[in-house]
C-alpha cells in the first residue's frame, strides 16, 4: 500500500501502524548478525521490517521457543519491505538464492506474485506440520499458490468501520445502527448525519483504490479470474462497487483528500464522523487522546443486491515465508508451528506492547483479547476483530495485482469526474492486459 503513517503506537493499542501492514521501515539491523545468508544448526536468520511490530514479535517468538529449546538462536535483520523485494528479485534473477535468509516477511498482496515469479526461492510448506486451518481462511489464501501453502499468516488486516459515537448521537444514531447494514442504508444515514452535524461519515485519498478493493473483496469479487486473467469487463460486482463509490462522493457522505496525512487528519481533528479501513487504522485514531471513549467499531456495509456480499473484508497484512535455501527447514517448521501458528499465549504476550493482532483463530477466545478497551467504549474490540477475520471472503491477487489496482484507481477518479463507468472499466482492463504483454 502506498501510504505512510507517523502515529505512535500507544501502550495497549489496538493495532500497529501501517508499517506493520506493509510499508517500509528505516534500514538497519536488529538482534545482531550479518545481513543475509541462511545458517544451519540451531540458528535461523529472518528478514523483516518495523522494530516496534514485526521485529519485536519475531524476537518474542524466539523467547517462547527457547523455553523448550534453550540452544535455539534467532538472528533478526531489520530490512525495509522495499529492500526485501529488491534483494529477493536480485537473488532470484542472478541465481544467487544463497544470499537469502531462512525466513522472510512478505506483504500479503505481493505474496502470490513473488511465489509465481520466483518459484525456486520458496519452500512448499503444505506438509510442514503447521495447521493452516487454525487461521482465517481469507488470510491464509494470500499465501496459497496452486493449492499449496507457502506462508505462515501473521498480522490482521480485517476491515473495521469506526464511528464517532458523539457525532452519531447528535443525529439520533448509535454505532449499533451501522451493524450488518448495506451501503445504501449507510449512505441514507450518512446524508442525515451530514445535514444535522455538517460532518461527512467517511474520507479517502483521491486517486487510491483501497476502499474499492475492500468493497469488492467483501462481496467475494476480484479483478482476476481463477486463471489469473484480468476480469473487469462484465464484472458486475466491480461495476456495482464503482457506482456505489461515486454515489457516496456525489452525496457528500464521502470526501476525498489529497494525501495520507490529510486522511489521518480528518480522523484526529474531527472532520469526519468515521472511517472504514484495515483494523490497523485504529492506532492512528488513538493518537487523538481527547477522543478516548468516543469511538466504537462494527463491521463494514455490504453491497446490496449482490450474490455473495458480506459485511467483511481485508486491507493490509503480511505473512512469513520459508526460503528454499533454509539450512534447517525442520527447525523453521517447528519454530513457526509452536509460535506464530500454535501459541495463543504468544499472541497474548505481544499484543499489549505492539498491537500485533493475529489472524490465529484460537486467540479470539483469549481472556486478553476479550478485555474491554477504554478508547473504544470499553468494548472487547480485539476479540471482535479476530471474529471478523474469520468471515472475510477470499480474493485473487496474482502477479499483476498492483497494476490492476492502479488501473482501477484511475478509472474511479474519472468516473467521479463524470466519465462513463463501462468505458473506464474497459480501459482499466486494457491497461492491465498491456502490462501483461497481451
Amino acid at each position: 500500500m502506498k501510504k505512510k503513517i507517523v502515529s505512535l503506537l500507544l501502550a495497549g493499542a489496538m493495532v500497529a501502524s501501517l508499517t506493520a501492514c506493509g510499508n517500509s521501515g528505516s534500514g538497519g539491523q536488529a538482534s545482531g548478525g550479518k545481513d543475509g545468508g541462511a545458517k544451519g544448526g540451531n540458528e535461523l536468520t529472518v528478514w523483516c521490517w518495523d522494530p516496534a511490530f514485526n521485529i519485536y514479535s519475531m524476537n518474542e517468538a524466539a523467547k517462547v521457543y527457547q523455553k523448550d529449546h534453550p540452544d535455539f538462536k534467532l538472528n533478526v535483520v531489520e530490512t525495509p519491505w522495499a529492500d526485501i523485494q529488491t534483494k529477493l528479485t536480485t537473488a532470484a534473477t542472478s541465481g544467487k538464492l544463497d544470499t537469502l535468509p531462512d525466513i522472510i516477511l512478505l506483504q500479503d498482496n505481493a505474496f502470490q506474485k513473488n511465489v509465481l515469479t520466483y518459484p525456486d526461492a520458496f519452500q512448499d510448506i503444505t506438509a510442514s506440520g503447521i495447521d493452516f486451518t487454525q487461521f482465517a481462511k481469507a488470510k491464509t489464501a494470500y499465501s496459497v499458490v496452486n493449492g499449496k501453502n507457502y506462508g505462515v499468516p501473521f498480522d490482521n488486516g480485517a476491515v473495521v468501520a469506526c464511528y464517532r459515537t458523539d457525532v452519531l448521537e447528535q443525529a439520533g444514531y448509535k454505532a449499533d445502527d451501522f451493524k450488518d447494514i448495506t451501503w445504501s442504508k449507510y449512505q441514507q444515514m450518512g446524508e442525515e448525519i451530514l445535514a444535522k452535524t455538517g460532518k461527512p461519515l467517511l474520507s479517502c485519498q483521491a486517486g487510491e483504490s483501497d476502499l474499492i478493493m475492500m468493497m469488492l473483496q467483501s462481496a467475494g469479487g476480484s479483478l482476476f479470474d481463477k486463471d489469473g486473467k484480468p476480469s473487469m469487463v462484465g464484472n458486475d460486482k466491480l461495476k456495482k462497487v464503482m457506482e456505489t463509490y461515486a454515489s457516496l462522493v456525489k452525496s457528500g457522505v464521502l470526501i476525498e483528500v489529497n494525501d495520507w496525512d490529510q486522511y489521518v487528519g480528518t480522523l484526529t481533528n474531527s472532520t469526519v464522523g468515521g472511517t472504514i479501513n484495515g483494523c490497523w487504522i485504529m492506532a492512528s485514531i488513538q493518537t487523538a487522546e481527547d477522543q478516548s471513549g468516543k469511538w466504537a467499531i462494527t463491521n463494514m456495509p455490504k453491497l446490496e443486491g449482490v450474490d455473495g456480499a458480506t459485511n467483511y473484508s481485508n486491507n493490509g497484512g503480511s505473512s512469513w515465508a520459508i526460503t528454499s535455501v533454509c539450512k534447517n527447514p525442520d527447525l523453521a517448521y517447528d519454530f513457526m508451528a509452536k509460535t506464530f501458528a500454535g501459541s495463543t499465549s504468544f499472541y497474548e504476550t505481544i499484543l499489549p506492547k505492539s498491537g500485533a493482532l493475529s489472524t490465529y483463530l484460537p486467540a479470539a477466545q483469549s481472556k486478553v483479547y476479550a478485555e474491554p478497551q477504554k478508547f473504544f467504549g470499553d468494548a472487547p474490540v480485539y476479540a471482535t476483530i479476530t471474529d471478523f477475520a474469520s468471515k472475510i471472503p477470499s480474493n485473487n491477487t496474482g502477479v499483476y495485482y498492483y497494476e490492476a489496482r492502479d488501473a482501477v484507481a484511475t478509472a474511479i477518479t474519472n468516473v467521479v469526474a463524470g466519465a462513463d463507468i463501462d468505458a473506464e472499466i474497459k480501459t482499466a482492463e486494457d491497461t492491465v492486459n498491456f502490462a501483461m504483454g497481451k
Side-chain angles (χ1 to χ4, degrees), residues 117-141:
T117 306
Y118 313 119
D120 294 338
F122 301 96
Q123 297 242 10
D124 170 4
I125 59 175
T126 308
S128 64
I130 293 170
D131 187 357
F132 296 100
T133 67
Q134 296 301 299
F135 292 94
K137 290 182 179 179
K139 174 69 173 183
T140 305

Side-chain angles (χ1 to χ4, degrees), residues 206-288:
E208 290 283 354
S209 58
D210 277 5
L211 183 59
I212 296 290
M213 299 311 301
M214 286 183 264
M215 296 166 74
L216 185 62
Q217 183 173 356
S218 74
S222 301
L223 299 178
F224 298 90
D225 63 20
K226 62 180 181 179
D227 297 319
K229 298 178 181 177
S231 178
M232 302 179 194
V233 174
N235 186 329
D236 293 338
K237 292 179 180 179
L238 175 60
K239 184 173 181 179
K240 182 68 172 180
V241 165
M242 295 177 71
E243 290 173 339
T244 301
Y245 185 99
S247 179
L248 288 166
V249 174
K250 183 177 180 180
S251 71
V253 171
L254 166 60
I255 59 170
E256 296 184 307
V257 296
N258 294 325
D259 57 41
W260 178 254
D261 289 340
Q262 288 182 17
Y263 164 66
V264 173
T266 64
L267 309 181
T268 57
N269 65 20
S270 302
T271 299
V272 296
T275 193
I276 296 173
N277 218 325
C279 56
W280 37 262
I281 195 58
M282 298 168 73
S284 294
I285 292 173
Q286 289 178 94
T287 61

Side-chain angles (χ1 to χ4, degrees), residues 329-345:
D330 289 339
L331 176 64
Y333 301 159
D334 194 56
F335 168 63
M336 298 303 280
K338 292 177 179 176
T339 54
F340 290 93
S343 175
T344 296
S345 61

Side-chain angles (χ1 to χ4, degrees), residues 14 94 102 126 172 285 315 322 379 381 424:
M14 175 58 228
S94 66
D102 300 288
T126 308
I285 292 173
N315 190 29
I322 298 173
V381 289
E424 289 301 322

